Amino acid sequence: MSDGGLLVAYAAIGAMAVVPIYYGAHATLGRLKSSNAKKHEREQFPEYSDSEDEDEDETEAVSTKDAYMFPVYGSASLFSLYLVFKYLNPEWVNYLLSGYFALMGTGALTQVGAHIVKGVTGLKLPLYHLSLVHRGEKQFDVRFTNLHVGLAAAATALVGVYLWSKNWVISNLLGLAFSFCGLYLIRLDSFKTGMIMLAGLFLYDIFWVFGTEVMVSVAKMSDVPIKVVFPKDLFPADGALKMTMLGLGDIIVPGVFLGLCLRFDRHQFLARLGYAKDKPLPAALNGRRKGFAFPTPYFNACMAAYVAGLATTISVMHVFKAAQPALLYLSPACILSVVITALTRGELSQVLGYSEESDTSSENDTSEGNNSGTRGRPRKASDGSKSGAQPVVQHRYNLRNQPQGAGAGAGMSGGELADDEQEIVPGESALDDTPVVVSDDVSDAASTVGVKSKKKKPGPKPKGGKGKSKK
């Protein structure tokens, strides 16, 4: 084993860590919203929304509570997997895990391939939706294009080759795809959350690597793409490849923090320009809502700290010939880089006070308010008074008591609408078109619209009886 081969292996491991972090962080930069741009583009390209609007609603925000629980969930999963490998046949366990990761890997390779192709070529393809809705709530939703279908077929073939050969190159491709998808889908809501997560996983990594054999044993026994590997010698004399490896957690965990740094850099830049979501774009952006250049002091500082921490990890591992918990060096490096940069620029309070969750929630509240209109409340006229002269009238229809005679409609039974959430009003006709006034003032509503009750015609008299039929 030559030193030159080791240097190549270490450089390859470092590149496979930095590249997905860089592009994954930039992929989290969403399109800017303004008062008129989005509406205009949706009208112009209504069927090509996959290229204009990214799937930002599919991302998962990590809150402070989640950050506290990360080490707990991680420890439970890791130790459970260790027990499974120890007390069951590792070969069969790897079969099950390989099937699971093959399915997930196909989806990850498809998503990453589509992102790369659309980013390079700028393709705008028709978007298809496949949804499953129950009682007005979306249970399942898939959006795809013809490009996704073709890439899914290619990814399936590639994963099939991996399952058959366990080729380390394809394993790395799957690992990189998992890393990119994780960096894109998982987003921290604040620097406080990020620092808590890094500090907790710092202790987690130390305990499971130095305190027990669990993490190293699972990494060696598992034959699934949960790590990136590279041979220490590409052409060994005995033909047996010995690998150096880096876990995907050492890429994704610091990577989501770096993505937060990049979004904060853009936030600071836009704040200096006076950008607001309910106003037109600043003139300095030249109408660009994505892809414009801006200073990245926090991202650059944190990326440099990550590279330095990774180099320190590899150096210590090489000198002591023992596995090292990478987060032991990466977590302090990332946290200190942001704190030192903030102190140098005099922006520590802004860094600690920055939150993406509040911006998103306020935007959603505004949107819901605009969509809901004045449902359940009286509309106000332009002069600010209640529109008592023009009440909101709603019509209520009840189909439950529809007659079951010959003219009741083909195939309609009394139990077909039992699952509908409609109000059961005894004694109403099949289509009760009685207007119902929605108003806060009952007296005003009564004076404005008179509600007349419908009297039903008396039915036929019972045979042999003199009494009146019941209504």
Side-chain angles (χ1 to χ4, degrees):
M1 184 186 307
S2 62
D3 292 337
L6 277 177
L7 290 177
V8 171
Y10 294 152
I13 290 292
M16 286 189 287
V18 172
V19 170
I21 288 178
Y22 181 85
Y23 287 102
H26 282 80
T28 63
L29 296 175
R31 303 177 66 84
L32 295 181
K33 299 178 181 180
S34 60
S35 58
N36 53 4
K38 195 164 187 176
K39 180 180 178 181
H40 172 73
E41 291 199 6
R42 281 186 173 176
E43 293 174 353
Q44 187 176 3
F45 300 105
E47 60 177 323
Y48 301 102
S49 58
D50 71 306
S51 297
E52 296 298 328
D53 302 317
E54 299 295 337
D55 299 334
E56 296 180 7
D57 56 335
E58 298 179 0
T59 60
E60 183 70 23
V62 178
S63 64
T64 303
K65 182 179 178 181
D66 298 329
Y68 279 118
M69 297 304 296
F70 253 90
V72 178
Y73 295 147
S75 298
S77 301
L78 181 65
F79 189 65
S80 299
L81 193 58
Y82 171 77
L83 294 178
V84 169
F85 273 114
K86 184 175 181 179
Y87 293 106
L88 297 180
N89 189 343
E91 184 176 358
W92 288 102
V93 175
N94 278 315
Y95 283 151
L96 293 175
L97 291 177
S98 296
Y100 172 76
F101 278 95
L103 182 63
M104 301 299 294
T106 302
L109 287 174
T110 301
Q111 286 295 102
V112 173
H115 185 87
I116 293 175
V117 172
K118 290 194 297 183
V120 173
T121 63
L123 284 176
K124 294 180 180 180
L125 301 173
L127 183 66
Y128 302 95
H129 286 252
L130 182 61
S131 299
L132 180 64
V133 180
H134 178 64
R135 291 189 177 184
E137 295 184 0
K138 189 179 297 183
Q139 307 294 328
F140 175 79
D141 180 66
V142 175
R143 288 175 281 181
F144 61 93
T145 64
N146 294 332
L147 176 63
H148 289 85
V149 175
L151 289 173
T156 302
L158 191 64
V159 170
V161 174
Y162 166 74
L163 292 176
W164 175 71
S165 64
K166 293 294 182 177
N167 183 273
W168 65 271
V169 176
I170 303 178
S171 176
N172 283 344
L173 291 177
L174 291 170
L176 294 175
F178 288 138
S179 298
F180 180 86
C181 291
L183 293 169
Y184 176 72
L185 296 176
I186 303 174
R187 304 189 185 188
L188 300 171
D189 63 358
S190 65
F191 281 102
K192 177 184 177 182
T193 300
M195 292 177 183
I196 292 173
M197 182 188 68
L198 287 175
L201 293 178
F202 167 82
L203 300 175
Y204 160 89
D205 229 14
I206 294 176
F207 174 77
W208 289 112
V209 173
F210 288 148
T212 68
E213 62 171 4
V214 172
M215 185 174 290
V216 177
S217 299
V218 169
K220 291 181 178 180
M221 289 188 293
S222 61
D223 193 14
V224 290
I226 58 174
K227 54 188 178 293
V228 290
V229 299
F230 200 87
K232 297 179 180 179
D233 191 350
L234 288 172
F235 306 101
D238 56 357
L241 294 176
K242 296 180 180 180
M243 302 290 185
T244 182
M245 66 184 69
L246 180 69
L248 297 186
D250 300 326
I251 300 175
I252 297 175
V253 171
V256 295
F257 190 78
L258 276 155
L260 178 65
C261 293
L262 185 63
R263 295 193 298 275
F264 178 73
D265 284 330
R266 190 178 74 160
H267 169 79
Q268 293 292 89
F269 172 72
L270 293 174
R272 290 192 292 268
L273 295 181
Y275 163 76
K277 296 178 181 178
D278 57 346
K279 297 180 181 179
L281 293 177
L285 298 179
N286 296 322
R288 302 179 68 179
R289 297 193 290 128
K290 190 176 182 180
F292 52 87
F294 57 91
T296 57
Y298 289 92
F299 178 76
N300 292 340
C302 196
M303 178 61 81
Y306 176 81
V307 173
L310 189 60
T312 304
T313 305
I314 294 174
S315 301
V316 175
M317 179 182 64
H318 179 74
V319 172
F320 292 97
K321 307 296 180 183
Q324 295 294 313
L327 292 179
L328 171 64
Y329 310 97
L330 297 177
S331 294
C334 292
I335 294 175
L336 290 176
S337 66
V338 170
V339 172
I340 292 174
T341 304
L343 290 174
T344 304
R345 297 171 60 88
E347 298 174 345
L348 184 60
S349 60
Q350 298 178 38
V351 168
L352 297 179
Y354 176 69
S355 175
E356 294 183 344
E357 186 179 18
S358 59
D359 295 340
T360 305
S361 60
S362 62
E363 178 185 346
N364 292 338
D365 293 342
T366 304
S367 176
E368 291 177 1
N370 294 336
N371 293 335
S372 61
T374 56
R375 289 181 294 177
R377 298 187 307 272
R379 295 181 181 178
K380 293 186 179 181
S382 58
D383 57 352
S385 61
K386 294 183 179 180
S387 56
Q390 297 180 354
V392 181
V393 179
Q394 296 180 349
H395 295 277
R396 179 179 59 200
Y397 300 97
N398 183 14
L399 300 179
R400 293 186 179 273
N401 298 324
Q402 190 167 359
Q404 303 299 319
M412 180 65 71
S413 64
E416 287 184 8
L417 298 177
D419 197 33
D420 291 343
E421 297 178 357
Q422 299 194 20
E423 181 182 1
I424 302 177
V425 182
E428 286 189 350
S429 61
L431 293 176
D432 186 5
D433 199 0
T434 303
V436 180
V437 181
V438 179
S439 176
D440 290 336
D441 194 341
V442 178
S443 61
D444 291 345
S447 62
T448 304
V449 180
V451 181
K452 297 181 179 180
S453 61
K454 294 184 179 180
K455 296 183 179 180
K456 294 190 176 181
K457 296 180 180 180
K461 295 181 180 181
K463 295 181 180 181
K466 297 182 180 181
K468 295 182 180 180
S469 60
K470 296 181 179 181
K471 293 184 181 180

